[in-house]
């Protein structure tokens, strides 16, 4: 016989706010590792067509001969895909919670400690998600052709040509540069926030360090990405 | 000095509320903020009007009862409690907006008074140590290192005022919980229940309707006892390591 009518309170760890935050932090760190590797690969554009296309081919033959062609790459793609789903799921769940947690807003509210980066986490994240979809359609699936990139070369034949021809279109470069500002802000707050969520910043000095590391990594990643389209646009890479 | 106060008035939990404007004159800069409200209330009573309901108890910054959002800042512009805020922090002609703490887990009772018993239930869920009552044990029988004692003491200064929740964009109570978890977690007496404490407190926190932390830092900036952000990391750390919930 049921003796309680109240909803049963959670007793374990799964599903709690801190659990969701941990999910966001772990998947976020997977993204950080990914963008670092991705940025490093992009910089090969500066070493010419051969170098960049070799890298692109190298990704597809990663893990051979133990794994089939495209094997390791597919595994990495699955990990990233699952991470994106979990990251967005927990972001939305916590976003909703935050709205319920303050049903009546203040008439006057001053933010004294929040950084610009931290204020943009949610809408900046939404923008990054849209950007990632666009980016994949353009360069991975080659469904959108900007400039003469797609006609000159399908991604499997000549990725270098594809990139260079695409970024000669100024507005495309602008979209990418704006996305890198968004990425900078997301990482600047995100890396520090993830360190805090994972419990690595339990002393004041660790906090200062985590914030510094977040800033440096965010700068390196966003600038490292941004210089490729930028230098294509101004004609240094052609 | 002469001021214009805009105060949230609301008869009861389910009534509609609104900001009401009250001019007030001849305020001395030596008055505390609450004394200034006392003066306003005396005037309202003389005029046959309903005085503004607000909370206070000790008026010396140690009980955590006073709780006002003053011009968009919890406890006003100084790092202290509302009762320890003085009118010298304002100047002649200022307009001051006074609102209650806003959070689902702090339901409004009347005017500026909110019910913060959700904090009590979080403490009841796990923010304690179990000891037998009776003769107090010899204080030095269990050694505590100086750094641990200092950190435990500093975090034990939390007065449960709720300013951290009020200032947080997510209405999260992580700083409050972090302070307690760090306080008890630094001490030998806090160890047996350490794992269960953090899990039970967080589950109660979530069930009460507080939001999730996004590490913005508004809480620590608003805290009158300057509880630092690293207690939130400590809380997360203990939660991640915790194995059993009982
Ligand atoms: C796909 C769309 C994305 C959305 C909707 C999104 C949204 C969010 C939100 C709302 C947060 C929490 C912010 C906070 O705690 O203040 C967050 C955290 C984070 N995000 Fe994203 N994000 C996205 C993509 C990315 C990408 C592409 C990266 C990495 C390059 C990334 C890395 C991180 C990191 C490291 C964190 C910190 C985790 C934490 O707060 O504990 N995110 N994201
Ligand atoms: S942590 Fe600070 S702001 Fe929060 S309840 Fe304790 S004393 Fe008040
Ligand atoms: S009335 Fe006790 S702390 Fe302000």
């Amino acid at each position: 016989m049921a003796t309680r009518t109240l909803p049963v309170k959670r007793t374990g760890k799964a599903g709690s706010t801190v659990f969701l935050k941990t999910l966001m932090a772990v998947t976020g760190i997977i993204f950080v590792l990914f963008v670092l590797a991705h940025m490093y690969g992009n910089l090969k554009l500066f070493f010419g067509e051969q170098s960049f296309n070799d890298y692109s081919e190298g990704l597809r033959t990663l893990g051979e001969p133990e794994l089939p062609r495209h094997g390791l790459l597919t595994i990495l793609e699955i990990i990233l895909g699952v991470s994106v789903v979990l990251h967005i799921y927990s972001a939305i769940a916590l976003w909703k919670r935050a709205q319920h947690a303050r049903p009546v807003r203040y008439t006057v509210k001053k933010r004294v400690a929040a950084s610009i980066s931290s204020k943009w986490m949610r809408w900046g994240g939404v923008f990054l998600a849209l950007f990632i979809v666009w980016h994949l359609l353009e360069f991975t699936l080659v469904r959108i052709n900007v400039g003469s990139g797609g006609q000159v070369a399908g991604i499997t034949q000549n990725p270098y040509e594809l990139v260079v021809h695409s970024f000669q279109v100024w507005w495309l470069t602008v979209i990418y540069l704006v996305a890198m500002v968004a990425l900078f802000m997301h990482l600047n707050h995100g890396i520090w926030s993830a360190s805090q969520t994972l419990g690595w910043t339990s002393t004041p000095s660790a906090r200062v360090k985590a914030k510094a590391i977040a800033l440096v990594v965010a700068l390196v990643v966003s600038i490292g990405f941004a210089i490729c389209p930028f230098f294509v646009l101004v004609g240094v890479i052609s | 000095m002469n001021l214009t106060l805009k105060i949230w008035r609301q008869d009861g939990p389910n009534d509609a509320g609104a900001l009401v404007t009250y001019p007030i004159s001849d305020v001395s800069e030596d008055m505390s903020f609450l004394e200034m409200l006392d003066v306003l209330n005396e005037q309202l009573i003389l005029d046959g009007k309903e005085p503004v309901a607000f909370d206070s108890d000790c008026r010396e910054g140690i009980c955590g009862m006073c709780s006002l959002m003053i011009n968009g800042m919890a406890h006003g512009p100084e790092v202290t409690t509302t009762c320890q805020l003085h009118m010298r922090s304002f100047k002649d002609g200022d307009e001051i907006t006074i609102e209650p703490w806003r959070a689902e887990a702090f339901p409004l009772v009347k005017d500026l008074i909110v019910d913060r018993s959700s904090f009590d239930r979080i403490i009841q869920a796990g923010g304690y140590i179990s000891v037998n009552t009776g003769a107090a044990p010899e204080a030095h029988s269990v050694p505590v290192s100086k750094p641990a004692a200092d950190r435990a003491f500093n975090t034990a200064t939390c007065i449960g005022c709720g300013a951290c929740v009020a200032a947080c964009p997510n209405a999260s109570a992580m700083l409050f919980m972090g302070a307690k978890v760090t306080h008890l977690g630094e001490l030998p007496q806090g160890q047996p229940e350490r794992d269960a404490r953090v899990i039970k407190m967080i589950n109660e926190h979530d069930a009460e309707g507080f939001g999730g932390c996004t590490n913005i830092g508004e809480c620590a900036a608003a805290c009158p006892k300057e509880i630092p952000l690293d207690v939130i990391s400590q809380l997360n750390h203990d939660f991640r390591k915790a194995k059993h919930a009982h």
Side-chain angles (χ1 to χ4, degrees), chain B residues 119 158-164 175-176 223-225 227:
Chain B
F119 266 15
C158 167
I159 54 177
C161 64
C164 42
L175 196 71
F176 167 73
C223 175
K225 299 297 157 184
I227 302 289

Side-chain angles (χ1 to χ4, degrees), chain B residues 18-55:
Chain B
L19 285 174
V20 179
T21 305
Y22 299 96
I24 182 167
S25 45
D26 298 329
V27 174
S28 151
E29 60 176 25
D30 295 329
M31 282 180 186
S32 77
F33 198 85
L34 296 184
E35 281 165 349
M36 184 272 296
L37 288 180
D38 290 339
V39 170
L40 172 73
N41 275 347
E42 307 250 318
Q43 190 58 50
L44 288 177
I45 292 167
L46 283 180
D47 295 347
K49 295 187 186 141
E50 180 80 4
V52 178
F54 63 88
D55 257 332

Side-chain angles (χ1 to χ4, degrees), chain A residues 9 97 101-102 107 198, chain B residues 99 102 104 168 204 210 240:
Chain A
K9 204 173 296 160
R97 255 201 93 88
R102 176 159 298 130
T107 323
L198 294 171
Chain B
E99 293 175 83
R102 297 274 188 216
E104 170 73 11
C168 173
E204 184 64 38
F210 291 101
R240 187 160 56 78

Side-chain angles (χ1 to χ4, degrees), chain B residues 7-19:
Chain B
I7 303 180
W8 186 264
R9 302 300 309 262
Q10 183 172 336
D11 287 340
N14 302 316
D15 297 302
L19 285 174

